[in-house]
Amino acid sequence: MKPNISTEVGAIKIERPTMLASGILGISLEVFDRLYKEGAGALVTKSLSKEPWEGYPNPTVVGVKAGYLNAVGLSNPGAPYFAKMISSNKTVPIIVSLVGSIPEDFDFMIKQFENVKILGYELNLSCPHVEKVGLEVGDDPELVHKIVKSVKTQSKVPVIAKVGLGSSDYLETVRVACESGVDAITAINTIRAMAIDVETTRPILSHKIGGLSGSAIKPIAVRCVYEISSQFDIPIIGCGGVSSWEDSIEFILAGASAVQVGSALVDKWVGVFSEINDGISKYMEKKNFSKIKDMIGIAKKP
Amino acid sequence: MKPNISTEVGAIKIERPTMLASGILGISLEVFDRLYKEGAGALVTKSLSKEPWEGYPNPTVVGVKAGYLNAVGLSNPGAPYFAKMISSNKTVPIIVSLVGSIPEDFDFMIKQFENVKILGYELNLSCPHVEKVGLEVGDDPELVHKIVKSVKTQSKVPVIAKVGLGSSDYLETVRVACESGVDAITAINTIRAMAIDVETTRPILSHKIGGLSGSAIKPIAVRCVYEISSQFDIPIIGCGGVSSWEDSIEFILAGASAVQVGSALVDKWVGVFSEINDGISKYMEKKNFSKIKDMIGIAKKP
Amino acid sequence: MQRNPDIPTIVKIEKVIDETPTVRTLVFSDEVLSNVLPGQFAMVWIPGINELPMSVMISREKGKAAFTVRKHGFASTELYSLKVGEQLGVRGPYGSSFTIKQGKILLVGGGTGLVPLIRLLTFLKKTDDVTLLIGSKTKNEVFFEKMANQILEHNKHAVIVVTEDGSYGKTGLVTEAMENLFSQIKFDVVYTCGPEKMMHKVVQLASSKNIYVEASIERMMKCGMGICGSCCFGEVLACRDGTVFDGKYLLTNKEFGYTHRNKAGILENY
Amino acid sequence: MQRNPDIPTIVKIEKVIDETPTVRTLVFSDEVLSNVLPGQFAMVWIPGINELPMSVMISREKGKAAFTVRKHGFASTELYSLKVGEQLGVRGPYGSSFTIKQGKILLVGGGTGLVPLIRLLTFLKKTDDVTLLIGSKTKNEVFFEKMANQILEHNKHAVIVVTEDGSYGKTGLVTEAMENLFSQIKFDVVYTCGPEKMMHKVVQLASSKNIYVEASIERMMKCGMGICGSCCFGEVLACRDGTVFDGKYLLTNKEFGYTHRNKAGILENY
Ligand SMILES: Cc1cc2nc3c(=O)[nH]c(=O)nc-3n(C[C@H](O)[C@H](O)[C@H](O)COP(=O)(O)OP(=O)(O)OC[C@H]3O[C@@H](n4cnc5c(N)ncnc54)[C@H](O)[C@@H]3O)c2cc1C
Ligand SMILES: Cc1cc2nc3c(=O)[nH]c(=O)nc-3n(C[C@H](O)[C@H](O)[C@H](O)COP(=O)(O)OP(=O)(O)OC[C@H]3O[C@@H](n4cnc5c(N)ncnc54)[C@H](O)[C@@H]3O)c2cc1C
Ligand SMILES: Cc1cc2nc3c(=O)[nH]c(=O)nc-3n(C[C@H](O)[C@H](O)[C@H](O)COP(=O)(O)O)c2cc1C
Ligand SMILES: Cc1cc2nc3c(=O)[nH]c(=O)nc-3n(C[C@H](O)[C@H](O)[C@H](O)COP(=O)(O)O)c2cc1C
Ligand code: FES
Ligand code: FES
């Protein structure tokens, strides 16, 4: 029998455990539809704000030896525009990523999606390069509490909190988010980092400091998933450097119910999803796992 | 005229800006002497504790895609033994790394080195995989204050604090260390991370979680050096993923007065120091920098 | 060590050529960019200023490449204003390229859209019969005419300039000149690059005659490598799936010729 | 994709061979390890238990490699006790190898120190005149005698076993037998691997006769790749500069034959 690679992230049920990470190509329904057909189990949108944001000037994305740096600056068309754009959606499993500074920002945005078919929300509490949102929210437990509480009251669909490594203990953010009723955790976002060009003696990104993604951060992300799943009883989505089925299994063994793929698109393009799904399926067959659930967190056995 | 690659880290003057990082081969005077002759400007010892430590069982060091993971567990022969071992030193520029939990630990260790020729101490406030020392100290500002104050009172040589990314704001640790009188900062140590083998479904390191080093962490380390040098007036030693002269210049442009090299020894072995020194020298010649100081922090220009 | 295409390589401008009062070609040495395929582009970092996608222009000297830039807004004007000896960061090459076909070939270019077409000329066979249509508003905005003639000197060829105001060459729109040619010559393939409205018309015309046609598309680009999504063009990404698409596909893309996204990702009309 | 030698590759034990009551050979498939040079070792992960350095043993089957392990303390006993079908992680190969010389060759091995010497035999020329001295405490601890004879069947050769209690072969220490041979034969090269006291004597004897000699050194190993420092041996690192060193160097190293470091890095006497 073919193994079943569908998975559940709390109340979110998806056919395949590989999602598109937020901010990656996540700007149009047509692209979502294409990636869904290519094998992504769910599509997380770019993080949306109340109003459209242009983001930072270029350079906003560059390579480094073991990954990528970006300070896109959360450019996005704004929640109202985006909600309208995907309002015709019937089939694509979309998770809407939201970014804001106060509960009211989130309330406003959630209203926009009231009649739009989406799987859930992902709260970006972890963007490392824009002021007053992202990590600056995630690093403030009281604010996290208020935002999650409020979003949970407003939202009819599950709510995921996306955390990252900021200037406070991310496990504290997870704790507060869990206590405030969040349905799942995505870990992790990019890690604050920079690159300086030695010829011009300048930081390369226009914002100077950006976020590191890709293979470089995978061992850190796996550690975070392992720590969260060891300390909390909450579904986890692993994110950070996933580029192969082995990486995905590694996150699942550490405690993730699903994974998100971002930077790996550079090397593998849209075929990355089916490549990973097939690999997971073959692995499960070989190892006699019949469903994803049987693998989640088993690296924690003593 | 040949550029001058000697540098000063506060009161510590060294002939070349490339140091051996703590924990790397740092176990015998003979090896230090060899690496000094190979071009290292200074040699930082393994972090020493009051008593000998065996460290964790193997596996303690393994590769990952973009670097290395280690949880050696601070194995070391103890400060008294080590002090005796290097007591005959006359020529090698040694920086003694110390690890402990309370000020008294450090006081005891510093006594051992009273009559030994060393350049300075590096306080390991940042080892990410041993309990009650390293990051668990670095994450506690009050303890950092007490330890640094006490060490500064005892020590006749300069004292460096080595920081890393823990569960609190590392810039706060830097601030407290500076206010407590530390002479320089080394940034950064390895970052908590892990790898799980998918075939056996087990964490690879015996300690499960270890520290990530190598190319993977370089952009994060450069960011930290840049942030510290933007906010504090303190000499900085850059560490994390240095494997070429370009990397070293990148750290210097970000604000470092010198760099430490660790994981790069795997690929380049002991020739790494002279390779980097030569590269720095050629770069300075081409760019018309006559001394290291002229390059420190210039990436911060607007 | 192989160079990482996603990390800027610093090059130094060695020569600046004034093509028109608002267009300049900046020449520099770079082995990798000197060898890109026609249609491929680079992300060009003007340190301290911005980074822009630029088609890679040929240089007739070995190991050299160039950008031909029109001064327009802030970033392109800064790029245009760089002097010999100043530095640029280049990453790439990115994107797909024109498919090299043989026979009776028509190229239709406007403005800096000529850049990839000029490179394409250097990839054609000596046996090809090549017609290049250069569209321009007015005489002093015409460039690359002489260079195109030189590249094609051993081919059966025609380089035809069309100005809207009739100050040079033929008068009218380049697409009108193209319709005229179509009534005389049966082309095997049409390549186009320039303003999207123009390309849209070219693709429609060629398709209506069942002639294979390819166009190179411009969209807002940030990463150039297919992750940021800013160049999204229907369900494809211009930087990665393109920039070159064939006419058959383009006519199914409802953005083609009508809309593109701004920096925030909002659709705007052309 | 090339495999990263520093990440454990999981292999499955396919065959277990009892060599003596306390020594077993575990055979597995691994293209990389099947082709290592004589003297090279792997770091062998016994999942959930520990990781130990092990010389890579040959297998006579293509694409296979093996470890020959003596049960001793906790980790080696766990390794020894593994069954067919169980998994091991292997990383490497690490370390230098014996220099292949020609002529009259003497190999002096003790215990599992025979492992790299047996591999070395497979690298010798058919024209070499080869003598292998196998030292052992007693008869039932002798192994690899037959295999050595088989490998050398087309060479002029002698495989001589020396037991301390005289229960098999010659009686006495292997180094005594070596002195005897030296009085009869002029060897061109001597290779040795085994207990360090034994190797020390072998190196001294060969050097006193001006015969080129190499020995493979064991030290506490953690990383295997030259960063942790645990295998430090004077100013060299056994895992990286060695494990094979020539006699001339070894006699300048004041640790050789006398001291080694424990897990904390403290020098202990042999
Ligand atoms: C694949 C590709 C190849 C190109 N090749 C050339 C070339 O060879 N020569 C040339 O002169 N121009 C070329 N362009 C256009 C160029 O990148 C700029 O869009 C143009 O120079 C305007 O820049 P600006 O600074 O004046 O823009 P601004 O004045 O800041 O903005 C004006 C408009 O320019 C466009 N623009 C600005 N930034 C970008 C960006 N990062 N990506 C895409 N469009 C942008 C937008 O439509 C914007 O609304 C190319 C564009 C693309 C996508
Ligand atoms: C390069 C090299 C090749 C080797 N090849 C073989 C081989 O082919 N077959 C074989 O049986 N043994 C081999 N050994 C020895 C083996 O690695 C172990 O040292 C031995 O099996 C004892 O392990 P243990 O678990 O019984 O040790 P324990 O009982 O835990 O300790 C006993 C002693 O074993 C040594 N030891 C333990 N762990 C290590 C370690 N990580 N590195 C080095 N020494 C250690 C120490 O001297 C220790 O004091 C080799 C060692 C090295 C360095
Ligand atoms: C270009 C780019 C844009 C991103 N934008 C967002 C974003 O808008 N919101 C968000 O939560 N994460 C954003 N991220 C972070 C990714 O979702 C992901 O957490 C991170 O890249 C790590 O995954 P990866 O290593 O697979 O790329 C972005 C990452 C990149 C590279
Ligand atoms: C095997 C190993 C052992 C280490 N031991 C120590 C240590 O004892 N004390 C310490 O402060 N840092 C220790 N470190 C961290 C290094 O000093 C350095 O901060 C880190 O490896 C990043 O530098 P790199 O990328 O150049 O290796 C160790 C690192 C490695 C890889
Ligand atoms: S420019 Fe980023 S996806 Fe095309
Ligand atoms: S075993 Fe780590 S340096 Fe040799």
Side-chain angles (χ1 to χ4, degrees), chain A residues 25, chain C residues 220-231 237-240:
Chain A
L25 302 183
Chain C
M220 175 61 59
M221 287 186 186
K222 292 181 179 177
C223 71
M225 43 180 129
I227 49 175
C228 76
S230 67
C231 69
L237 282 302
C239 74
R240 185 71 186 247

Side-chain angles (χ1 to χ4, degrees), chain B residues 23-28 30-31 34 46 52-65 68 72 75-78 81 85 197 199-200 202-204 262-263 265-269, chain D residues 1 4 6-8 10 43 45 47-53 87 91 220-223 225-230 232-237 240-241 254-255 261-268:
Chain B
I24 310 297
L25 301 183
I27 207 179
S28 85
E30 292 104 310
V31 170
R34 173 181 176 194
K46 253 181 200 283
W53 285 351
E54 284 207 352
Y56 301 128
N58 279 348
T60 47
V61 188
V62 294
V64 291
K65 210 175 184 181
Y68 302 89
V72 167
S75 74
N76 79 88
Y81 180 91
M85 194 187 71
D197 173 66
E199 274 302 323
T200 58
R202 286 175 179 282
I204 301 178
S263 306
L265 279 150
V266 178
D267 278 348
K268 304 201 167 167
W269 197 217
Chain D
M1 220 175 52
N4 181 332
D6 301 324
I7 301 177
I10 305 299
M43 292 300 296
W45 179 35
I49 304 295
N50 207 315
E51 190 187 41
L52 283 173
Q87 292 176 320
R91 58 188 178 88
M220 175 62 57
M221 288 186 184
K222 293 181 179 176
C223 71
M225 44 181 127
I227 48 174
C228 76
S230 67
C232 120
F233 169 54
E235 77 282 11
V236 298
L237 282 303
R240 185 70 186 248
D241 296 303
K254 58 186 196 298
E255 288 190 29
R261 288 179 196 265
N262 68 14
K263 286 177 184 161
I266 295 178
L267 280 175
E268 292 182 346

Side-chain angles (χ1 to χ4, degrees), chain A residues 65-66 167-169 192-196 198-199 201 203 208 219 223 226-227 243 250 283 286-287 299 301, chain B residues 65-66 167 169 192-196 198-199 201 203 208 215 219 223 226-227 243 250 283 286-287 299 301:
Chain A
K65 209 176 186 180
S167 60
S168 72
D169 187 359
R192 267 172 84 78
M194 84 185 296
I196 295 168
V198 301
E199 272 303 323
T201 72
K208 298 181 167 83
R223 178 266 290 188
Y226 187 89
E227 284 180 334
S243 84
E250 199 176 345
Y283 172 85
K286 185 176 142 207
K287 291 278 180 187
K301 67 169 180 262
Chain B
K65 210 175 184 181
S167 60
D169 188 358
R192 267 172 83 79
M194 84 187 294
I196 296 168
V198 302
E199 274 302 323
T201 73
K208 299 183 167 83
S215 298
R223 177 266 290 188
Y226 187 89
E227 284 180 335
S243 83
E250 198 175 347
Y283 172 86
K286 185 178 143 208
K287 291 278 180 189
K301 67 168 180 262

Side-chain angles (χ1 to χ4, degrees), chain D residues 41-223:
Chain D
F41 67 97
M43 292 300 296
V44 183
W45 179 35
I46 314 142
I49 304 295
N50 207 315
E51 190 187 41
L52 283 173
M54 285 280 144
S55 284
V56 186
M57 181 57 193
I58 58 164
S59 157
R60 306 310 300 265
E61 290 171 72
K62 225 188 105 46
K64 299 200 177 176
F67 299 120
T68 297
V69 56
R70 176 190 298 283
K71 78 180 211 202
H72 178 105
F74 176 65
S76 59
T77 302
E78 290 285 335
L79 181 58
Y80 171 90
S81 309
L82 290 181
K83 311 230 165 341
V84 166
E86 292 192 278
Q87 292 176 320
L88 281 178
V90 296
R91 58 188 178 88
Y94 295 118
S96 62
S97 63
F98 289 108
T99 318
I100 314 295
K101 305 251 174 183
Q102 279 169 266
K104 282 200 172 23
I105 294 174
L106 175 66
L107 303 98
V108 186
T112 55
L114 281 169
V115 170
L117 298 182
I118 295 287
R119 179 172 291 271
L120 178 54
L121 292 183
T122 67
F123 281 75
L124 298 180
K125 290 258 157 19
K126 289 290 157 260
T127 48
D128 293 329
D129 176 354
V130 185
T131 306
L132 171 61
L133 276 178
I134 298 179
S136 177
K137 285 227 166 64
T138 181
K139 181 177 178 178
N140 72 357
E141 287 183 10
V142 175
F143 58 99
F144 288 164
E145 181 189 8
K146 199 172 139 200
M147 179 181 280
N149 274 309
Q150 277 169 3
I151 295 170
L152 294 170
E153 65 181 334
H154 301 296
N155 282 73
K156 181 155 183 254
H157 76 279
V159 176
I160 303 165
V161 177
V162 189
T163 56
E164 289 180 31
D165 66 0
S167 52
Y168 185 67
K170 310 212 163 185
T171 305
L173 293 173
V174 75
T175 43
E176 291 162 5
M178 179 182 165
E179 281 195 84
N180 267 334
L181 281 176
F182 271 15
S183 62
Q184 300 156 33
I185 309 173
K186 204 187 155 327
F187 289 103
D188 295 303
V189 55
V190 176
Y191 301 106
T192 182
C193 186
E196 194 155 310
K197 285 283 185 198
M198 176 202 91
M199 292 195 287
H200 189 223
K201 186 83 198 187
V202 170
V203 168
Q204 283 179 322
L205 283 173
S207 302
S208 71
K209 302 255 183 227
N210 274 317
I211 303 171
Y212 182 82
V213 53
E214 285 182 346
S216 166
I217 299 301
E218 279 192 19
R219 282 297 179 275
M220 175 62 57
M221 288 186 184
K222 293 181 179 176
C223 71

